[in-house]
Amino acid sequence: MGTLKTLSMEWTGDSLKLIDQRKLPYVEEYVVCSTHEEVASAIKSMVIRGAPAIGAAAAFGYVLGAMRYTGGGLYEHMKKVKETLANTRPTAVNLFWALERMEKKFLSLDVNMDGLVEELEAEALEIAEEDIEKNKRIGELGSQLLPNNAVVITHCNAGALATVDYGTALGVIRYMHENGLGIKVYVDETRPYLQGARLTAWELVKLGIDVTLISDNMAGWVMKTKKIDAVIVGADRIAANGDVANKIGTYSLAVLAKKHGIPFYVAAPTSTVDLSTFTGAEIPIEERSHHEVTHCHTVKVAPDGVKVFNPAFDVTDNELVDAIITEKGIVRQPYYKNLRALLEG
Ligand code: MRU
């Protein structure tokens, strides 16, 4: 049995242990998942979140589904395991990408063979380990777009917590820091769920990176009055034409960046690119509980009975995106042609 241990997750060989991101930064607690249903519930309730992280968690959930199989039709059982894991969060394509890969592996195996579970486990570990390598490469490539001592704005959390490790947008920031290139970060608090304030600020403070927290409505003023070299964010799904779904508020940042002549970069592994979705209009946008908006984390800030709209993601039009940084290279317009060439080349 293989194992893996990072900040966001630990695969013990028999269970998946997740740092409870709902409780950070106040307490560091862990949720142990021993069944695929528990992994699905952890994804849905945002114990684990961030596109690459939920993809890898689902892959381990798939392994747990195979491990706990007790008889009956194995194909039917694994189909249900996949459905349960897929039916959690609709926007991040990495979830479906990882489950497709696990199913493909399963279907390539002889169901009567010894070591079937071990083969699936090896595939899940490969997905997880590849993610770390991809993020390091994204970090290195993305750093080439930034000047030394860069000042950037980021949104949500695209760090080690949102991936298996290292991060995508924060991977670029981290690479700059680790290689002595100098980096200063403004992070939006990212209402309503506060991934910026709670998670990104926590990660960057822990790494000793210069980080300043702002509320979301301050970003325009910061762009106007401070020297900002770039906006850099992660992604949940990138359509074939380069439209980018990411945490709600990303679109506003991209519009503001355009107005101020600031480059807007998206850092994401190729597993976030969905060539079967032609434009952003086709990307399903998750709507979450009204409670997230009527409350600021746990404190109620709105009157009873008020109507609420809570889309968890938005779509940034490709013409606002200056470059997409993937582990395979940096892509620019025309995205439809260049993303296809990158993925299929
Ligand atoms: O709702 P979340 O916290 O799962 O949303 C996460 C994001 O929007 C991230 O920016 C995205 O998944 C990229 S993570 C590397």
Side-chain angles (χ1 to χ4, degrees):
M1 283 281 157
T3 55
L4 171 121
K5 190 171 187 240
T6 66
L7 181 68
S8 59
M9 64 184 74
E10 179 178 358
W11 173 250
T12 65
D14 188 48
S15 64
L16 184 67
K17 198 172 155 191
L18 302 167
I19 192 164
D20 192 341
Q21 299 195 28
R22 298 168 306 181
K23 297 190 176 162
L24 287 173
Y26 322 113
V27 276
E28 287 178 39
E29 268 178 27
Y30 293 83
V31 171
V32 179
C33 305
S34 302
T35 64
H36 72 277
E37 287 99 340
E38 285 170 359
V39 174
S41 158
I43 293 171
K44 207 176 174 77
S45 65
M46 297 194 37
V47 168
I48 182 128
R49 30 82 31 219
I54 63 178
F60 288 118
Y62 193 88
V63 180
L64 289 171
M67 250 176 202
R68 307 289 179 245
Y69 167 69
T70 51
L74 181 59
Y75 286 112
E76 208 38 52
H77 170 76
M78 291 312 295
K79 198 168 162 233
K80 284 200 186 118
V81 167
K82 184 184 171 210
E83 273 167 20
T84 304
L85 289 162
N87 196 20
T88 48
R89 298 197 69 195
T91 305
V93 78
N94 308 60
L95 174 68
F96 310 103
W97 170 86
L99 287 170
E100 286 300 322
R101 187 163 150 181
M102 291 304 294
E103 186 176 64
K104 194 168 165 207
K105 181 75 193 179
F106 170 66
L107 294 176
S108 76
L109 300 171
D110 171 0
V111 288
N112 297 313
M113 73 185 275
D114 286 339
L116 179 108
V117 170
E118 286 76 6
E119 290 278 344
L120 292 176
E121 184 198 41
E123 188 73 3
L125 282 166
E126 209 170 287
I127 287 174
E129 278 150 13
E130 277 174 15
D131 183 61
I132 304 173
E133 287 318 305
K134 286 176 193 171
N135 294 338
K136 290 188 173 159
R137 181 75 186 132
I138 287 169
E140 186 182 354
L141 286 172
S143 72
Q144 295 166 13
L145 295 175
L146 300 177
N148 285 5
N149 301 311
V151 185
V152 299
I153 298 183
T154 192
H155 188 65
C156 192
N157 172 265
L161 289 167
T163 58
V164 180
D165 207 356
Y166 206 73
T168 55
L170 289 201
V172 176
I173 288 164
R174 191 165 167 173
Y175 184 90
M176 296 283 292
H177 177 71
E178 285 170 0
N179 289 278
L181 301 171
I183 185 96
K184 183 175 160 157
V185 182
Y186 284 93
V187 59
D188 285 344
E189 65 177 348
T190 318
R191 274 285 285 155
Y193 206 68
L194 302 174
Q195 289 94 332
R198 296 190 301 105
L199 308 176
T200 297
W202 182 71
E203 276 195 41
L204 294 182
V205 166
K206 257 164 68 99
L207 290 168
I209 295 175
D210 185 337
V211 55
T212 303
L213 176 65
I214 55 173
S215 64
D216 299 343
N217 51 357
M218 294 173 190
W221 187 244
V222 168
M223 288 183 196
K224 190 165 186 174
T225 57
K226 309 272 183 196
K227 178 191 90 76
I228 301 295
D229 296 299
V231 174
I232 182 159
V233 296
D236 287 85
R237 191 184 298 222
I238 300 172
N241 72 343
D243 289 349
V244 174
N246 190 47
K247 180 52 53 192
I248 190 76
T250 302
Y251 171 58
S252 319
L253 268 188
V255 172
L256 284 167
K258 180 65 97 196
K259 157 84 185 162
H260 293 92
I262 295 168
F264 184 88
Y265 299 133
V266 173
T270 48
S271 52
T272 306
V273 180
D274 179 11
L275 293 181
S276 70
T277 296
F278 293 116
T279 76
E282 293 164 43
I283 300 176
I285 300 295
E286 177 184 11
E287 281 188 38
R288 295 187 56 83
S289 159
H290 292 184
H291 187 274
E292 290 178 0
V293 178
T294 55
H295 289 64
C296 193
H297 203 42
T298 53
V299 178
K300 191 172 171 196
V301 291
D304 289 334
V306 68
K307 286 198 286 181
V308 171
F309 178 46
N310 185 18
F313 301 95
D314 58 27
V315 176
T316 298
D317 312 271
N318 62 63
E319 65 262 25
L320 298 174
V321 178
D322 289 282
I324 298 174
I325 308 154
T326 77
E327 79 282 4
K328 290 190 174 175
I330 295 172
V331 186
R332 294 184 189 266
Q333 294 276 15
Y335 288 115
Y336 189 78
K337 177 168 161 269
N338 293 340
L339 282 172
R340 192 163 288 274
L342 185 87
L343 263 76
E344 291 174 353

